[in-house]
Amino acid sequence: MTDLNHVVLVGRLTRDLGSDERSFGYLPSGQARANFSIAVNRSRKNGEQWEDEVNYFDITLFGRSAESLKPYLLKGKQVAIEGSLRQDRWEKDGQKFSKVNIIASNVQLLGGRSDSNGSSSQGGYTPRFQQSQGQASAPMQNDGGFNGADSSFPEDIPF
């Protein structure tokens, strides 16, 4: 039986992709490789006060996705990452080291990139979430809202 190794994160890029040669390159096989980091913010309550906690994660993306997304992976851009964890281990000068990376299988661009003046650009992509197959739902219809166009609602709502 196979174990489960699946990660989903939403965070913001900590630097522009391609800002140095370690962040974007090609493997000897010709496959593109992109290395970038995201910051994931989390708020938690400590007594009566809310505290913000930031965690940083290193992401590696391979193939055509790395090439296609290179111009869009800019500092401050919000992204959703889906992938798996990989632990790299090595030894240097007799000392053992290890690091956990996320190997991305899917990267989605979210929202806009923050500018220095506080506004955001309008080129962002917002995904549309769908229900899983196990849940029954009626198809979404755009009939103009609740302006009386839909006669399936009773006139008297009991609340």
Side-chain angles (χ1 to χ4, degrees):
M1 174 179 247
T2 304
D3 295 327
L4 180 63
N5 182 357
H6 188 82
V7 177
V8 177
L9 296 171
V10 174
R12 295 191 180 272
L13 276 86
T14 60
R15 66 181 181 276
D16 291 351
L17 181 65
S19 60
D20 61 11
E21 67 181 45
R22 292 182 63 198
S23 68
F24 185 85
Y26 290 91
L27 301 175
S29 65
Q31 184 181 36
R33 176 213 25 91
N35 291 327
F36 55 95
S37 296
I38 63 170
V40 177
N41 295 317
R42 184 179 133 198
S43 293
R44 61 184 176 94
K45 197 166 188 178
N46 187 8
E48 293 295 317
Q49 290 187 326
W50 285 94
E51 294 180 354
D52 289 332
E53 178 182 299
V54 180
N55 292 292
Y56 299 94
F57 298 96
D58 293 326
I59 315 292
T60 302
L61 178 64
F62 292 101
R64 296 191 72 191
S65 296
E67 290 176 315
S68 300
L69 290 173
K70 183 181 178 187
Y72 304 104
L73 294 179
L74 303 171
K75 182 177 180 177
K77 181 74 176 167
Q78 189 178 36
V79 293
I81 307 291
E82 184 178 1
S84 59
L85 298 174
R86 181 184 72 192
Q87 183 177 25
D88 294 326
R89 297 181 188 133
W90 68 97
E91 189 173 324
K92 183 178 180 181
D93 299 328
Q95 199 169 13
K96 293 182 179 183
F97 296 92
S98 104
K99 181 179 181 179
V100 175
N101 254 348
I102 297 169
I103 305 301
S105 58
N106 188 16
V107 175
Q108 291 184 359
L109 304 175
L110 306 173
R113 178 180 171 213
S114 296
D115 296 336
S116 58
N117 62 6
S119 66
S120 62
S121 64
Q122 295 298 320
Y125 169 73
T126 304
R128 181 181 174 127
F129 295 100
Q130 299 175 354
Q131 288 184 315
S132 64
Q133 293 176 354
Q135 298 174 335
S137 67
M140 294 178 65
Q141 297 177 3
N142 188 4
D143 59 2
F146 295 104
N147 298 334
D150 186 3
S151 62
S152 65
F153 286 106
E155 291 295 321
D156 236 356
I157 299 176
F159 54 88

